Amino acid sequence: MTSAKRDNEPTVPRPSSSVLLVSSKNEILLLHRVKTSTSFASAHVFPGGNLSNQDGECPPPGDLARHDDSPSYRRAAIRELFEESGILLARDRNSGKMLAVDEPIREAGRRLIHHNKTTFDEWLKQQSADAEPDIGQLIPFTRWVTPTNVPKRYTTQMYLYFLPLPVKVDKSLLKQLPTEGEREEHEIPTSDGGIEVTEAQFLPASAWVGRAQKAEIILFPPQFLLLHLVSGFLDREPRTCASVEQMENRRQALVEFVHSGSPPWTDKCISPKMIHMTGDGRSVLGLNDPGPELKGSSRRGEPDRVVTLRFKKGSAREVAVGWKKDVLQEEREKSNL
């Protein structure tokens, strides 16, 4: 007989996926969550959500593999992106060509899926019998495990996905890319009619970070940190008149960074943990702990950076990223004054 969960035991984190979608202009898609949402209410987030049965089997709680990148996490990321923004990332498995579906058909499909009249896989097969989610182009970019002091917890796999740049390619590659018009169609996000999202928009990562710093939008630590990192590569000057070659070089530098570090950012598992309270009431979150579910495993987070923020009514404000040694040294110096 299974004993009841004790009050001091943390909630089991639910598997979920999110995707940092990079446009042909090297901008990032964020969604504005509805204020009635049970998670990240009123915040701006990356497209994503919980895994479902249609995404494939996920290892059970207690299995360390539950927190590994897998096809089920990847399928969930592509499915949720479509449901929340209308952007479809699918290929014909035979030709390798991206699937192009007219906007009215995509919107009708989203409504059917939201009303449980069909599943994403069923709808996709109706568009083409050989269509499949384009999971191979997803690049893992950290996993986040919700801290134990939060009632609703998730183990979220983050991914990067690059939409094609507006560049002429070798004829042998043309079948793998949508036409110019199809690329533009791929990059027109829409809300889901207010079910979960009120707005879907592409902006430079640095613009999103700037809006959060001005308190115009709410970004929680995972979104803020990853946008902060991405902006350091994709938003180098010049930004508005960058050549296609410059944009591609910036993408390559970002991909190299994502595969760097100890552990590399593709493998980092982060469960934010408060390690200090500043004199003015801001929390300093350490990022090295992977969470209790991975205690004793080889998984690690980010040892060198911290996130500082002020919590106001369950919302994150004044979020910033800093080097751990510098932030803690500054606090020590202030306390000695």
Side-chain angles (χ1 to χ4, degrees):
M1 182 176 177
T2 304
S3 59
K5 175 183 174 295
R6 297 177 181 175
D7 291 340
N8 60 350
E9 288 182 354
T11 304
V12 175
R14 300 181 63 180
S16 68
S17 300
S18 288
V19 56
L20 284 77
L21 186 65
V22 183
S23 76
S24 63
K25 298 178 181 178
N26 279 355
E27 298 179 342
I28 307 297
L29 176 64
L30 286 190
L31 311 178
H32 189 190
R33 302 279 291 181
V34 296
K35 63 182 180 180
T36 55
S37 175
T38 57
S39 299
F40 302 108
S42 298
H44 278 72
V45 299
F46 306 124
N50 295 331
L51 272 64
S52 73
N53 292 334
Q54 65 179 297
D55 300 317
E57 187 175 352
C58 184
D63 189 334
L64 294 179
R66 186 178 177 87
H67 308 279
D68 291 341
D69 172 34
S70 70
S72 58
Y73 279 101
R74 290 171 176 250
R75 283 192 287 267
I78 300 295
R79 175 182 55 77
E80 286 285 345
L81 173 66
F82 176 71
E83 291 181 16
E84 293 187 330
S85 74
I87 294 178
L88 177 63
L89 301 180
R91 288 184 184 270
D92 182 285
R93 70 167 59 89
N94 295 320
S95 67
K97 185 178 179 181
M98 292 294 288
L99 191 68
V101 179
D102 290 340
E103 191 267 347
I105 297 176
R106 284 186 281 120
E107 290 303 304
R110 292 172 71 190
R111 288 193 295 271
L112 290 173
I113 293 170
H114 278 303
H115 289 92
N116 298 315
K117 298 294 180 62
T118 188
T119 67
F120 176 64
D121 282 344
E122 291 170 346
W123 177 84
L124 196 57
K125 295 304 180 187
Q126 291 171 7
Q127 312 314 309
S128 172
D130 296 316
E132 60 183 11
D134 190 26
I135 65 174
Q137 297 302 309
L138 292 167
I139 302 173
F141 188 24
T142 66
R143 174 176 290 271
W144 292 75
V145 178
T146 311
T148 56
N149 63 323
V150 179
K152 217 170 201 179
R153 300 181 65 223
Y154 302 92
T155 173
T156 303
Q157 181 64 59
M158 300 284 192
Y159 295 101
L160 273 172
Y161 187 105
F162 295 97
L163 290 170
L165 288 169
V167 60
K168 293 181 180 179
V169 297
D170 185 86
K171 290 183 179 180
S172 64
L173 300 177
L174 283 176
K175 69 177 185 178
Q176 300 180 25
L177 300 175
T179 65
E180 192 68 32
E182 289 171 349
R183 278 204 296 274
E184 293 172 358
E185 181 100 342
H186 267 70
E187 298 186 35
I188 305 175
T190 57
S191 77
D192 59 5
I195 299 172
E196 296 180 87
V197 177
T198 62
E199 182 185 33
Q201 184 180 9
F202 280 107
L203 282 178
S206 57
W208 288 122
V209 169
R211 291 188 64 188
Q213 291 172 331
K214 295 175 183 176
E216 294 174 357
I217 65 171
I218 298 171
L219 290 177
F220 280 84
Q223 290 77 20
F224 190 96
L225 173 65
L226 296 185
L227 287 167
H228 167 82
L229 296 174
V230 167
S231 69
F233 295 92
L234 299 187
D235 296 335
R236 293 174 181 172
E237 295 296 332
R239 187 179 157 99
T240 56
C241 58
S243 67
V244 171
E245 183 180 5
Q246 288 174 317
M247 294 170 69
E248 176 59 32
N249 290 339
R250 293 170 187 182
R251 288 184 171 196
Q252 290 302 320
L254 174 57
V255 171
E256 290 174 10
F257 169 77
V258 168
H259 287 90
S260 71
S262 182
W265 288 88
T266 53
D267 296 333
K268 289 184 193 291
C269 185
I270 300 172
S271 184
K273 188 175 184 179
M274 191 173 80
I275 59 174
H276 182 76
M277 180 68 77
T278 66
D280 61 356
R282 290 175 295 122
S283 299
V284 179
L285 303 182
L287 307 174
N288 192 46
D289 193 338
E293 289 76 19
L294 290 158
K295 185 177 181 180
S297 74
S298 61
R299 300 296 295 275
R300 294 291 182 271
E302 161 55 21
D304 299 323
R305 293 173 176 81
V306 292
V307 172
T308 60
L309 74 161
R310 192 184 304 278
F311 285 108
K312 289 185 177 180
K313 298 179 180 179
S315 181
R317 296 291 186 180
E318 300 176 40
V319 187
V321 176
W323 295 104
K324 184 177 182 179
K325 59 181 180 62
D326 294 339
V327 171
L328 295 184
Q329 176 63 29
E330 182 180 351
E331 285 302 304
R332 283 192 291 267
E333 292 174 356
K334 287 180 179 179
S335 65
N336 291 331
L337 293 178

